[in-house]
Amino acid sequence: MPAPRAPMPGYLDHARVGPLSRPAARALAGANGLATRMAPADLDRLFALGDAARASAARLLDARPHELALSPSTSNGLFTVAAALQGPGTVLVPRGEFPANVYPWLRFEGRGGPDVRLVEPDEGRHITPESLRRRLAPDVVALAVSAVDSLTGHVAPLAALKEVLGPHRLLIVDAIQGLGAVPLEAEAADVLVSGGQKWLRAGWGAALLLIRDRCAARLAPGLGGWAGVAEPFAERHPAPPLPGAAAHLATNPDFPAAAALGAALDDLAGQGGPAAVGARIRATLAELLDRAERAGAEVLLNGLGPAERAGIGTFRLPGRDPAAVHRALEAAGVVTTRRGEWIRLSPHASTPATATDLFAEALAPFARPRGRARTATAGPATPEPATPEPVTPDPASSTSPTRTTPPSSTTSPSTTLTQEPTCPTT
């Protein structure tokens, strides 16, 4: 098969989906080859690929392989955990969490799961250890939180949050916006879920479900099916559950997807791990945000320290139509995500240096230099006088090169529970 093509140089949208890496693509093709041929030993080889992926994840997360299982997706893994955490009690969920970390708890509330309490963050969009301490009550059994906020890029202080929770309350972490992008305090998480289609660049179909031994007894195999029991073909059921996270499996994983995830995890380790990869991502993001500020942009939570921001940065240009800015970036070959008035940047370690120049050139017609931009919050933009958008020269009357601007896409209105309501995969 032909070698996978590299993503376009201006691709800055890994927080939405990371283009499949070459190691992951090769592993996926190889596993599909086994599934196509299906010689007597091929099924065993496919199962072994899943075991290898769990072993690689265990090394990354400082866990035991049996503490990990492979789920179809982050959302599926979170629903699995919500089904496993039986009431009574209350789970805290910060308001503004990505909806994948909200709906599992809402759906199981009143169906055997704990009550859900949406809590208002104190600073910007994230919950702090101090605000968590104020919200703790005897009925609280868990906190469900994203390791990295998908709009602001803020890295949650997982260790400090777990310290406040103590050993008897669970810290449940949606890690998809951080795993593979920056170092995470994963050892603090009692439960961690993450798909591989974003920063790991492993594609869809396989996600990590980590349930540490220290809390395994508190989670019943709510969605555990035949693949999660020790004797699936016993004459009588229910059979005893498998030890560890496997007890929560409804069925076998997608083995080709597991192979791609394992290859991506090994590739991450080969590049020096999250610390080395994260340093490159953060450096590229810092340069992109600096270029945005030179153009007069406001950066969301601009006061975050270097270790507090992951691979995501979000900006807006006051007085400029965000849809027009987004279209101009796309026309210049710079791929980003727009969420209302905000435009989100999420480069990778694989992002070439030319992406920064492409980005700056695309912003140039909108530039309104003001020095260093002030820190912005996620609230409404400060009204400014409308400014006419830059006019693209007519090719018939000018020899200057032009770019065709595609029509604007429709954006759904935001809700109080979500930060990215327009696309549930981002």
Side-chain angles (χ1 to χ4, degrees):
M1 64 176 290
R5 295 178 62 184
M8 53 195 303
Y11 191 86
L12 302 175
D13 211 8
H14 292 81
R16 185 166 187 251
V17 58
L20 205 64
S21 69
R22 286 186 172 88
R26 288 194 295 266
L28 183 63
N32 280 326
L34 291 175
T36 300
R37 187 173 62 248
M38 203 52 72
D42 288 341
L43 187 58
D44 290 338
R45 293 191 181 107
L46 285 171
F47 272 84
L49 291 171
D51 293 338
R54 291 191 302 110
S56 297
R59 288 191 291 272
L60 174 65
L61 298 172
D62 192 22
R64 301 175 179 89
H66 73 266
E67 293 179 308
L68 282 146
L70 295 175
S71 178
S73 67
T74 306
S75 289
N76 182 277
L78 290 168
F79 267 97
T80 297
V81 179
L85 185 59
Q86 303 295 300
T90 298
V91 59
L92 301 180
V93 183
R95 193 178 296 276
E97 273 286 331
F98 188 77
N101 201 20
V102 176
Y103 278 97
W105 310 107
L106 294 178
R107 295 301 186 225
F108 279 94
E109 184 179 31
R111 301 183 184 182
D115 295 334
V116 180
R117 186 177 302 150
L118 296 172
V119 297
E120 297 289 348
D122 280 355
E123 299 179 12
R125 298 175 56 91
H126 55 275
I127 190 166
T128 64
E130 294 75 19
S131 62
L132 173 62
R133 185 175 289 107
R134 291 195 301 271
R135 287 165 172 81
L136 283 186
D139 65 321
V140 173
V141 296
L143 169 68
V145 68
S146 290
V148 171
D149 184 84
S150 63
L151 181 66
T152 67
H154 173 259
V155 180
L158 298 180
L161 293 174
K162 177 57 181 174
E163 184 177 359
V164 173
L165 289 169
H168 303 301
R169 295 184 178 96
L170 301 183
L171 178 60
I172 301 168
V173 177
D174 175 350
I176 194 167
Q177 289 294 7
L179 198 65
V182 290
L184 299 176
E185 296 172 331
E187 67 282 354
D190 298 296
V191 177
L192 182 144
V193 184
S194 178
Q197 76 271 22
K198 297 184 186 292
W199 300 95
L200 289 172
R201 300 179 60 194
W204 285 273
L208 302 177
L209 171 60
L210 169 67
I211 300 175
R212 296 199 185 271
D213 287 343
R214 64 186 184 234
C215 67
R218 300 180 56 189
L219 300 174
L223 296 186
W226 72 273
V229 299
E231 300 177 40
F233 304 112
E235 292 184 2
R236 296 189 178 187
H237 294 282
L242 288 168
H248 301 270
L249 291 176
T251 188
N252 288 321
D254 180 330
F255 290 115
L261 179 58
L265 291 167
D266 293 340
D267 183 48
L268 174 65
Q271 294 185 56
V277 171
R280 297 198 294 273
I281 291 173
R282 282 166 161 159
T284 300
L285 178 63
E287 188 171 355
L288 289 166
L289 293 178
D290 180 69
R291 296 294 187 97
E293 288 183 295
R294 292 186 201 177
E298 294 178 353
V299 175
L300 189 57
L301 295 190
N302 199 26
L304 291 178
E308 294 180 294
R309 185 184 296 282
I312 296 170
T314 310
F315 74 94
R316 65 186 176 194
L317 286 165
R320 303 299 192 182
D321 177 8
V325 176
H326 188 250
R327 289 197 303 269
L329 290 171
E330 184 176 286
V334 179
V335 181
T336 63
T337 284
R338 181 171 73 87
R339 291 291 174 258
E341 62 188 335
W342 298 99
I343 295 176
R344 185 179 68 182
L345 306 171
S346 50
H348 199 271
S350 57
T351 300
T354 53
T356 305
D357 292 331
L358 283 173
F359 174 69
E361 290 170 6
L363 283 188
F366 300 90
R368 181 178 294 163
R370 301 179 304 168
R372 302 298 292 181
R374 63 180 173 86
T375 299
T377 65
T382 302
E384 295 194 13
T387 304
E389 297 299 334
V391 178
T392 303
D394 185 347
S397 61
S398 172
T399 58
S400 301
T402 63
R403 295 186 177 97
T404 302
T405 301
S408 174
S409 59
T410 301
T411 303
S412 302
S414 61
T415 70
T416 58
L417 295 184
T418 65
Q419 60 197 36
E420 297 183 336
T422 60
C423 182
T425 63
T426 59

